[in-house]
């Protein structure tokens, strides 16, 4: 036991050393200090626990789910919560708990696809506008302002109406409406970074503008974009649920939380469980991402 404690202490001392001997030690030490600061925030740890639980449930959905999420049993329709059906059944006799468990996969797919799509796009647009300035900045930011002028859900509805209902089209529509805030954040960071002394030194060495943006500006903007992405995930989930509620997102029999709420709105007063449990799932997951984003912002924001 003492050997384990000694090893842990030496590892801890190596990470928090004020005189790192290598770049690797410096980077690991910075990450370790950020983790210690993050761990001291109880709300952030709650958010992290919710997000980790969401990932575990999505990965182990076939093991956790007690019933087939799309199997219909009309003789068991609208049963209240019980030991057999923990969250009750819907109007087609499907187990609501199993559908919520499998719905975590749909939610994660939407969130990850949107973030992976809009993050790089917004980052490149914002960095290019902030670093190049002039007419490039004017054109890119005016396009960004046009997208920001419309509420996200309204604009997503317009895109889905043009593309047609479906999970893939919902992802495309949300991605089209989610990139402007990323571009704004990246531009604001770039306006500060481009006047730094080390950028001037790299420019004097003959580096091209493209290399400066990709190798020096973009990495400095990543922490802010990561925090923005985490905070934006809750909005993405709510937008996807709104599209599903209106019948423009994932189509039946895919177990999507917004569509489940829409299907249960007719029985909301008599069979409350049909719409209540999917709504609780949306609220808990959105809260988890918000708490996690707040914690990351406190840790990664240099100010």
């Amino acid at each position: 036991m003492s050997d384990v404690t000694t090893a842990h202490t030496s590892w801890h001392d190596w990470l928090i050393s004020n005189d790192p001997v290598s770049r690797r030690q410096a980077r690991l030490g910075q990450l370790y200090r950020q983790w210690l600061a993050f761990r001291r925030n109880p709300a952030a740890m709650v958010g992290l626990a919710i997000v980790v639980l969401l990932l575990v449930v999505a990965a182990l959905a076939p093991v956790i789910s007690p019933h087939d999420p799309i199997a219909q049993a009309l003789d068991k329709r609208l049963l209240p919560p019980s030991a057999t059906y923990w969250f009750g059944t819907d109007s087609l006799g499907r187990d609501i708990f199993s559908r919520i468990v499998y719905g975590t996969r749909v939610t994660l797919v939407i969130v990850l696809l949107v973030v992976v799509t809009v993050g790089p796009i917004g980052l490149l647009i914002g960095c290019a506008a902030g670093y190049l300035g002039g007419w490039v900045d004017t054109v890119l930011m005016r396009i960004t302002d046009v997208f920001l002028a419309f509420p996200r859900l309204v604009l997503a509805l317009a895109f889905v109406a043009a593309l047609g209902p479906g999970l893939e089209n919902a992802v495309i529509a949300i991605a089209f409406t989610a990139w402007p805030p990323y571009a704004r954040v990246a531009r604001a960071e770039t306006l500060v970074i481009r006047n730094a002394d080390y950028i001037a030194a790299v420019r004097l060495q003959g580096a091209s503008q493209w290399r400066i943006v990709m190798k020096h500006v973009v990495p400095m903007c990543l922490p802010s974009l990561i925090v923005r992405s985490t905070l934006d995930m809750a909005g993405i989930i709510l937008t996807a649920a709104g599209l599903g509620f209106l019948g423009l997102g994932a189509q039946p029999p895919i177990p999507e939380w917004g569509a489940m709420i829409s299907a249960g709105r007719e029985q909301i007063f008599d069979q409350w469980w049909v719409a209540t449990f999917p709504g609780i799932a949306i609220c808990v997951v959105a809260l988890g991402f918000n708490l996690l984003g707040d914690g990351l912002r406190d840790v990664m924001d240099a100010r």
Side-chain angles (χ1 to χ4, degrees):
M1 186 68 178
S2 59
D3 294 339
V4 175
T5 304
T6 303
H8 179 270
T9 303
S10 61
W11 178 250
H12 173 81
D13 294 339
W14 184 79
L15 287 173
I16 64 174
S17 174
N18 292 325
D19 299 311
V21 296
S22 65
R23 182 179 299 179
R24 173 173 171 268
Q25 182 181 0
R27 289 178 177 176
L28 291 177
Q30 181 182 13
L31 292 175
Y32 184 66
R33 289 186 176 89
Q34 289 176 342
W35 164 248
L36 293 178
F38 182 86
R39 195 173 60 180
R40 289 193 291 268
N41 188 336
M45 292 300 294
V46 171
L48 178 62
I50 292 174
V51 173
V52 171
L53 179 62
L54 178 70
L55 296 173
V56 172
V57 170
L60 302 178
V63 178
I64 298 174
S65 177
H67 302 279
D68 189 335
I70 62 176
Q72 301 180 12
L74 297 180
D75 58 327
K76 299 177 181 179
R77 60 190 302 270
L78 298 176
L79 294 179
S82 63
T84 304
Y85 299 100
W86 296 347
F87 290 174
T89 61
D90 61 10
S91 58
L92 296 176
R94 297 172 296 192
D95 180 42
I96 294 177
F97 176 77
S98 299
R99 290 179 62 78
I100 290 177
V101 169
Y102 274 88
T104 58
R105 292 185 168 186
V106 179
T107 300
L108 283 178
V109 166
I110 294 174
V111 170
L112 292 178
L113 287 178
V114 171
V115 170
V116 169
T117 302
V118 304
I121 293 175
L123 181 61
L124 290 178
I125 291 176
C127 289
Y131 183 78
L132 298 177
W135 66 268
V136 176
D137 183 23
T138 301
V139 171
L140 292 179
M141 287 301 101
R142 295 301 76 77
I143 295 174
T144 303
D145 291 339
V146 170
F147 279 86
L148 288 173
F150 296 93
R152 176 181 295 184
L153 182 57
V154 174
L155 194 57
L157 287 173
F159 279 114
V160 173
L163 298 173
L167 182 60
E168 297 82 3
N169 292 339
V171 171
I172 295 173
I174 297 174
F176 266 114
T177 62
W179 65 267
Y182 295 81
R184 281 291 188 182
V185 172
R187 177 181 179 270
E189 293 285 340
T190 305
L191 289 176
V192 177
I193 296 171
R194 72 176 184 178
N195 295 322
D197 292 339
Y198 74 93
I199 296 294
V202 173
R203 192 182 299 116
L204 290 175
Q205 290 177 355
S208 64
Q209 292 183 336
W210 174 257
R211 180 176 178 82
I212 293 174
V213 170
M214 296 303 298
K215 295 293 185 179
H216 300 281
V217 177
V218 168
M220 295 299 293
C221 295
L222 280 179
S224 298
L225 265 294
I226 292 174
V227 174
R228 176 69 201 190
S229 299
T230 309
L231 291 171
D232 204 37
M233 286 179 182
I236 294 172
I237 292 172
L238 294 176
T239 303
L243 294 176
F245 182 84
L246 296 173
L248 298 175
Q251 298 299 295
I254 298 176
E256 197 274 325
W257 294 342
M260 293 173 64
I261 296 176
S262 177
R265 70 183 187 276
E266 297 179 356
Q267 299 94 15
I268 189 65
F269 294 108
D270 298 324
Q271 289 83 27
W272 54 269
W273 57 88
V274 179
T276 299
F277 289 114
I280 292 176
I282 294 174
C283 291
V284 171
V285 173
L287 176 63
F289 278 115
N290 275 331
L291 293 178
L292 178 62
D294 287 339
L296 289 177
R297 180 184 59 192
D298 294 340
V299 170
M300 303 181 71
D301 189 353
R303 294 181 294 274

